[in-house]
Amino acid sequence: MSGPAAPPELRARARASGSKVARRVLDQPLRRIGVVGAIVLLATTAAFGGLEEQTQDGPEVLEAGTPVEVAPFELTVHRVVWTGDLPGQRLSDDGNRWVGVVATVRNTSDAGVLGVTLRDALTLSGVQGLVQAPVDIGVTASAVVVLEDASPLSPVQPGLTYEAAFLFEQDGSVAPPTSVDVQLQQHTWRAGSLDPELVWRFPTTVLVGTLDAREAAAGTPEQDT
Amino acid sequence: MSATDAAGTPADAPGEQATPDRPAPRRRPPRPRTVSAGAAVLAALAVGHLVVTAFPVSDRVQASFVRPGGVGELVELRYARLTAGEPTGSTVLDTDDGTLLATPGVWLIVPVTVEAVGEPRSLAFAEVLGGDGRTYAVFTGGRSSFLPGTAQPGIPRYATLRVEVPPDAVPGARLRLGLDLKDQRRDDVADIDLGLTQADADAWAGDDTPVVAHAPSDTPPEDS
Amino acid sequence: MSTPPAPPAPTPAPPTPPGPPPVGWWHRNRWALVALPLALALVVVASGDRVRSLWWEQGLHRPTSAAPGATVTFHQDLRDGLGGTFPLDVEVRLDGVGDAADLPDGLELPPGSRAVQVDLTLGADPDVVLVGCRLAVRDTAGTRYDYVANAWGAWQATVPCVPEDATGPWPSLGDVDDALSAPDGGSTPRPATWSVSRVVVVPDGVDVTDVVLWWQMPHHVRLEVER
């Protein structure tokens, strides 16, 4: 098992070559060659930033009412409410209810961003019976609407501050949540490996917080304080 | 003596020394020709890399053909002739389907007349370059949108572009219009100076009379 | 020591290689020179794939033409979107192009335009998929004016080249076929030959020179109009 890994004829050639280095390398057992190879491989990653210090250890704690930077947005999560009826929004089943996360949204980049990116910026986890299937970053909202006129918030223009609600549909047979885990994701402005177009990609969870949820007072989240 | 020395050497390592008329043994130093050829290949690769990176031509090769224009001027593009009408604005938008939209900024409305060239065309790309240097996205749907539909050649199509912008983006704003929603490379793009001033921005920011964004049609809108 | 070794023989000068006298650079590299234009041509072809996808397949470039009043047989292997193809065989004749006597219900002509009626007679096996065809007229300058089913207030037939109540089979969408309801007119057998009249809206003053019918570009049927 611990004998030399190289085939005999290769070793014979190495001996005949007179090269001490070649002979000694080929006399090594396979395991040692593998370990040394791995070390060399890891060392070469240093040239591409492999030794850079990791900037973040894990998601930070999200608190209600505090503005946070999650590129390309600045989000201020205010409250989580639920209601069975929301003007202008259609539930897939009449018995279902909306769980709404009310937040202030600002696009901090220098160009308009479509709503699909905003939807990935705030997701829920730990809520039973959500109609949308969870993806790797949690459950994304069915819609993000502007509170004042209930229109879908897209595109999100830079330099404007929107009061919006991220709406998640929950199965009516499940009890409404008393608290939810809200995840905020940061995007990166870069090209894909196959698609050279520069867009906001790779949502990464940077803040997680557990917020209390309660029933919306007047049936609409915008009239609730 | 030298002859004796010379004769003794081959005896020490018989068969090891290469002689001109024998086949070369396995070990042979790389020939100078091989080395120089390898160096030449590496040098060519390095020069090629330098040429590609030193001259950023790909941006220029792929650049759009920007056709400038102003309000009321006909802008001739490869695929259509466009005219942007006088912009209007307010803080409330009437979407022409019974909905009123609010905005934290101002609504900017631009009537656009599209006349297709060559074959029916559906323009899908639009964006507003604000006077503040930021780019305001206009999609084929959503709050800020431009969806003129298909224009038959020779039959003008009257469409309306709507976009919400902060008031400080209004002065000096320019409208860009193109054919393909995602890809304007190597194609014509209209760049229309909307001729807006700070006075327009102030007037719109203080106005809550709904401004109407008409649905696209082949018949000119009656008012406006 | 008694018989000292013979001194090594002096190295003989390398013999001049026998054969033809030295030849020129052009002659030595003649095969590479022959291959060079071929390689250049290959480079152009290999890097020209965008010509196919961005130009050739985006326009009507391969006509199957018919003189005025003549019947033309058109064949094309259509891509089914699932990686395969299915054959299309159809006969088309242009019966006439003129001002539409009766406008479709609800059609309101936009200012500066007129309605042109295109009369076609077609023939095909009842099991040939013809759904997906597009119809247009062109003028002397080659400008194309498309048939639009739902525009200017009117609802005309969605598929311009088949009878509305007997369209024949629809293209397969793969595994979801069973889950879909049969489209209107898809269940009635299509006759062997039939005629259709469709209205195309064109600007005033346009002189229609040919009618085009196509399924997938660049192939199309080009029917000349009697002048």
Side-chain angles (χ1 to χ4, degrees), chain A:
Chain A
M1 286 303 276
S2 58
E9 66 232 57
L10 194 63
R11 293 172 59 216
R13 262 180 73 179
R15 262 198 306 279
S17 75
S19 161
K20 222 180 228 177
V21 175
R23 203 182 68 220
R24 289 189 63 169
V25 163
L26 290 174
D27 282 347
Q28 298 297 319
L30 178 62
R31 197 168 57 176
R32 205 169 293 170
I33 294 178
V35 167
V36 171
I39 288 171
V40 168
L41 203 66
L42 284 175
T44 51
T45 65
F48 314 101
L51 292 179
E52 268 172 38
E53 197 179 337
Q54 197 184 349
T55 49
Q56 192 166 4
D57 293 329
E60 291 176 22
V61 178
L62 168 72
E63 282 174 38
T66 312
V68 286
E69 226 10 87
V70 278
F73 305 107
E74 184 198 87
L75 298 179
T76 314
V77 178
H78 298 295
R79 57 189 178 273
V80 182
V81 290
W82 53 265
T83 174
D85 176 48
L86 211 52
Q89 307 301 322
R90 287 240 335 241
L91 291 159
S92 64
D93 187 294
D94 282 344
N96 290 356
R97 72 177 72 84
W98 292 112
V99 176
V101 180
V102 180
T104 303
V105 176
R106 262 181 12 97
N107 172 358
T108 53
S109 76
D110 56 4
V113 175
L114 291 186
V116 285
T117 307
L118 179 61
R119 273 211 295 228
D120 281 346
L122 190 154
T123 57
L124 290 191
S125 63
V127 180
Q128 296 297 311
L130 289 184
V131 172
Q132 291 270 88
V135 291
D136 55 342
I137 51 170
V139 181
T140 54
S142 316
V144 185
V145 298
V146 177
L147 290 184
E148 199 170 352
D149 53 30
S151 72
L153 178 44
S154 175
V156 188
Q157 304 291 17
L160 295 180
T161 306
Y162 299 90
E163 300 298 330
F166 291 72
L167 299 178
F168 303 81
E169 187 177 354
Q170 190 193 25
D171 195 324
S173 61
V174 179
T178 54
S179 75
V180 298
D181 288 341
V182 179
Q183 299 187 172
L184 297 193
Q185 275 74 229
Q186 187 159 36
H187 287 77
T188 312
W189 178 255
R190 57 167 287 186
S193 46
L194 292 175
D195 176 8
E197 197 192 359
L198 282 166
V199 288
W200 292 102
R201 293 174 197 270
F202 310 123
T204 314
T205 306
V206 289
L207 288 120
V208 177
T210 305
L211 302 180
D212 290 338
R214 55 191 166 80
E215 186 166 13
T220 52
E222 58 259 44
Q223 284 156 19
D224 184 56
T225 47

Side-chain angles (χ1 to χ4, degrees), chain B residues 81 114-119 151-157, chain C residues 111-113 143-145 202-204 206:
Chain B
R81 285 188 283 271
V114 182
E115 195 186 323
V117 171
E119 60 186 69
Q152 190 88 289
I155 301 176
R157 188 147 182 92
Chain C
S113 68
T143 300
R144 201 182 82 209
Y145 306 91
V202 301
D204 279 336
V206 160

Side-chain angles (χ1 to χ4, degrees), chain B residues 107-181:
Chain B
W107 286 107
L108 164 60
I109 309 300
V110 186
V112 178
T113 308
V114 182
E115 195 186 323
V117 171
E119 60 186 69
R121 310 279 188 182
S122 309
L123 268 64
F125 170 73
E127 68 183 13
V128 168
L129 305 179
D132 58 355
R134 290 193 277 221
T135 305
Y136 296 87
V138 181
F139 199 56
T140 48
R143 291 169 63 86
S144 301
S145 72
F146 180 58
L147 187 62
T150 304
Q152 190 88 289
I155 301 176
R157 188 147 182 92
Y158 304 91
T160 310
L161 177 138
R162 64 189 212 214
V163 56
E164 56 181 337
V165 298
D168 56 0
V170 169
R174 295 192 342 261
L175 171 63
R176 286 191 163 222
L177 295 168
L179 184 61
D180 192 288
L181 176 64

Side-chain angles (χ1 to χ4, degrees), chain B residues 3-4 6-7 20 117-120 152-156 186 218-220, chain C residues 1 5 11 50 110-111 113 142-146 148 152 200-203:
Chain B
T4 318
V117 171
E119 60 186 69
Q152 190 88 289
I155 301 176
R186 306 184 191 86
D218 285 346
T219 325
Chain C
M1 280 298 140
T11 313
R50 290 185 184 182
S113 68
T143 300
R144 201 182 82 209
Y145 306 91
D146 286 4
V148 190
W152 304 293
V200 182
V201 174
V202 301

Side-chain angles (χ1 to χ4, degrees), chain C residues 98-124:
Chain C
D99 281 328
D102 298 311
L103 292 184
D105 279 348
L107 185 79
E108 282 182 37
L109 287 173
S113 68
R114 68 187 182 105
V116 168
Q117 179 171 325
V118 178
D119 297 319
L120 297 171
T121 297
L122 298 99

